[in-house]
Amino acid sequence: VPPTTSIPLDYRINPGDELLLGLSGSIQAADMRLTVDREGRIFVPRVGAVMVAGIRYGDLHDVIAREVSRQYRGFELEVTVARLHGMTVYVTGFANVPGSYTVSSLSTLVNAVLAAGGPSYGGSFRSIQLRRGGRLISDFDLYDLLLKGDRSGDVLLQNDDVIYIAPAGEQVAIFGSVNHEGIFEVGPDETLNDAILYAGGVSTVADSSRLMLLDSLGREDGGWAQITPEEARTRKAQRGDVI
């Protein structure tokens, strides 16, 4: 780990991670480099095995200190992560390059998705699922990051995590006087106005009182129809809509 890398307090220790321990006082041992074995343990001289795998980095000091205190009193303990071991995760579904990836122990769901080239043609940006031990841990909306700059729903990965990129949901096309023309994926209950916001909103030269809508799948007759801003805020966006 580079010296400038900050280990998050909620990072969970993995087999292969290397810890740097220092003990002073009633037990003297400085600069001990201890690697977490496959069973998730470290072996502290004159103390014995301590199970640390799965422990939050923020709790690591107290866990080790508790084991040392079974045999010694009046000691000081310092513990840091000296090196992080890589882990294997699997990116599946509609990824550009699905497969297994070796990533840093500080990698997140987004890091792995980007390593796999992001969603492929026909892949969803709105439903990227992280599964751990068969349980759904997160269903991440990549639009939160790409269009809103919000990464709060991103989560740290663990060894053997599986990331599944679902098939794309309903898509609508937006062009004309908007800031970013394109095809956008809309959620189940999102409106025409939501879709326009994904396109960056109307441009400064747009007539915001007039919106033209075409049902390209022919569910409604009449071709292009003019929609008011009020209707755009309430009308549900549907697959094949052209705005």
Side-chain angles (χ1 to χ4, degrees), residues 8-9 14 26 39 52 74 77 82 95 106 109 113 123 131 141 160 170 176 201-202 211 214 226:
L9 293 178
N14 285 288
S26 58
E39 283 70 44
V52 294
L77 169 68
L106 289 181
L109 181 152
V113 169
R131 297 186 179 273
D141 185 345
D160 287 333
E170 309 261 298
V202 298
L211 170 72
L214 172 67
Q226 183 170 315

Side-chain angles (χ1 to χ4, degrees):
V1 183
T4 55
T5 300
S6 175
I7 308 296
L9 293 178
D10 60 354
Y11 170 74
R12 295 188 180 273
I13 304 299
N14 285 288
D17 288 349
E18 187 177 278
L19 307 181
L20 181 63
L21 268 68
L23 286 164
S24 59
S26 58
I27 175 173
Q28 299 283 335
D31 297 331
M32 292 183 290
R33 286 183 172 267
L34 307 174
T35 300
V36 183
D37 68 14
R38 292 183 178 181
E39 283 70 44
R41 304 167 299 178
I42 56 172
F43 288 86
V44 182
R46 291 177 286 175
V47 173
V50 181
M51 178 63 68
V52 294
I55 300 298
R56 292 177 63 255
Y57 178 55
D59 299 328
L60 184 61
H61 177 279
D62 291 345
V63 168
I64 297 175
R66 185 164 55 248
E67 293 300 318
V68 176
S69 68
R70 296 180 189 275
Q71 302 181 45
Y72 299 93
R73 296 290 184 269
F75 64 87
E76 295 291 334
L77 169 68
E78 292 184 0
V79 56
T80 57
V81 175
R83 184 179 62 85
L84 294 176
H85 182 65
M87 19 177 227
T88 300
V89 298
Y90 304 89
V91 184
T92 65
F94 290 79
N96 265 311
V97 190
S100 63
Y101 289 85
T102 300
V103 297
S104 158
S105 296
L106 289 181
S107 294
T108 66
L109 181 152
V110 168
N111 296 142
V113 169
L114 294 180
S120 65
Y121 177 79
S124 177
F125 281 74
R126 310 299 304 273
S127 181
I128 300 176
Q129 301 169 12
L130 171 63
R131 297 186 179 273
R132 182 173 299 154
R135 294 187 302 111
L136 179 64
I137 302 299
S138 174
D139 193 350
F140 186 71
D141 185 345
L142 198 56
Y143 274 17
D144 286 344
L145 173 63
L146 298 179
L147 300 180
K148 303 176 185 177
D150 179 6
R151 198 174 174 177
S152 59
D154 199 7
V155 293
L156 281 170
L157 296 175
Q158 294 185 19
N159 197 48
D160 287 333
D161 277 352
V162 177
I163 297 167
Y164 171 71
I165 300 179
E170 309 261 298
Q171 293 179 315
V172 301
I174 305 175
F175 68 96
S177 295
V178 291
N179 288 305
H180 298 289
E181 294 180 324
I183 296 174
F184 297 88
E185 185 179 352
V186 293
D189 298 313
E190 292 185 328
T191 65
L192 298 178
N193 193 63
D194 292 324
I196 293 170
L197 293 177
Y198 290 141
V202 298
S203 68
T204 55
V205 298
D207 178 0
S208 59
S209 66
R210 298 177 63 229
L211 170 72
M212 302 303 295
L213 176 67
L214 172 67
D215 176 13
S216 67
L217 300 183
R219 289 164 300 208
E220 299 179 12
D221 296 329
W224 290 96
Q226 183 170 315
I227 303 296
T228 66
E230 291 73 20
E231 291 173 310
R233 283 191 286 269
T234 57
R235 179 164 175 158
K236 182 179 174 181
Q238 300 182 79
R239 181 170 65 94
D241 280 350
V242 179
I243 302 169

